[in-house]
Amino acid sequence: MGDPDDDSLCFLDNFVEGINPLAHRASSGVRIGVEYPKEAKIFMNRENPGIKLSPLLGNSRNVLVGSNEFKAAIEKHCKNEIEYLPFTLYDHRKRVHSRDYFIINPIGTFDCLDRKESVIEWDDEDPEEIIGIDKIVLDRKKMKDAPQCFRIDKAPTSYVLGLEVAREFKARSFKNIWWTELPLSGGQ
């Protein structure tokens, strides 16, 4: 998430201070809710010296971390349940760097994969458990009811954005967003 080759960009390894064990919820679509602190703080670390901010902050936690403008673009097009968790970003010297960011947590997942055309690695012990997806192919029929921002069912750390959101990001000239166009079943 984010440009891995630009060391000047802010890249986060830390999660919200005091609730680190709950980071898995924000990366899998489970609501954090009342356990989220009112004065949430995320600290940059010295291993990632970049301080340049962008609409989407890269991170090692598989969570969407976006600016207020990024959040507004998501809200404009997404009607599904999404948790927006504000925090204060602190720099490497523990000084306030920004109060403009949110953890954006789409709640739940959406069954969108064409399981025949996708290349999926399944768990040997649990045939319903996906270990990895080498090639994502979206099921054309399932996508008719898809929200504009969601997590893939059985692979919740993977996000899918709809065309409306992609166009909104392009219109706003957002940087530091890396995506891949996903094919639909049936060859388009």
Side-chain angles (χ1 to χ4, degrees):
M1 308 233 307
D3 185 349
D5 298 322
D6 188 345
D7 291 339
S8 70
L9 290 171
C10 174
F11 184 88
L12 302 175
D13 278 325
N14 297 324
F15 192 64
V16 176
E17 184 181 59
I19 62 166
N20 201 43
L22 300 182
H24 72 282
R25 289 188 188 176
S27 67
S28 60
V30 177
R31 184 172 276 289
I32 294 176
V34 297
E35 296 177 74
Y36 195 77
K38 289 186 192 308
E39 300 294 324
K41 301 174 183 179
I42 296 180
F43 292 89
M44 296 180 193
N45 66 27
R46 296 196 186 280
E47 288 78 28
N48 298 302
I51 60 168
K52 183 177 171 187
L53 299 176
S54 58
L56 176 69
L57 297 184
N59 65 85
S60 62
R61 299 298 183 127
N62 288 322
V63 297
L64 292 176
V65 178
S67 67
N68 193 43
E69 189 177 5
F70 186 93
K71 173 184 169 269
I74 295 282
E75 286 178 312
K76 180 177 178 180
H77 296 284
C78 300
K79 306 306 176 213
N80 53 314
E81 184 180 4
I82 299 177
E83 192 174 47
Y84 299 98
L85 305 166
F87 65 90
T88 301
L89 178 63
Y90 288 81
D91 68 13
H92 305 87
R93 295 181 183 171
K94 300 193 184 322
R95 296 178 299 192
V96 172
H97 194 58
S98 178
R99 288 189 168 90
D100 184 45
Y101 283 86
F102 295 80
I103 294 170
I104 300 170
N105 183 16
I107 303 303
T109 60
F110 186 77
D111 181 9
C112 64
L113 290 178
D114 181 310
R115 292 182 179 209
K116 291 180 182 167
E117 290 189 38
S118 296
V119 179
I120 302 171
E121 297 175 50
W122 298 95
D123 187 315
D124 291 334
E125 295 176 17
D126 181 358
E128 287 297 308
E129 184 74 24
I130 292 176
I131 295 173
I133 305 173
D134 295 328
K135 179 182 177 190
I136 295 172
V137 177
L138 302 174
D139 186 300
R140 183 179 303 279
K141 292 177 186 171
K142 293 175 183 177
M143 289 304 293
K144 289 185 189 301
D145 297 322
Q148 285 292 302
C149 176
F150 63 89
R151 298 166 188 277
I152 296 176
D153 186 44
K154 307 288 186 197
T157 59
S158 296
Y159 299 90
V160 176
L161 300 176
L163 191 56
E164 291 176 24
V165 173
R167 286 181 177 148
E168 184 74 27
F169 287 177
K170 185 171 177 74
R172 294 179 187 232
S173 300
F174 285 167
K175 304 290 185 221
N176 199 33
I177 298 174
W178 295 82
W179 49 32
T180 302
E181 187 173 345
L182 298 174
L184 291 169
S185 58
Q188 287 186 342

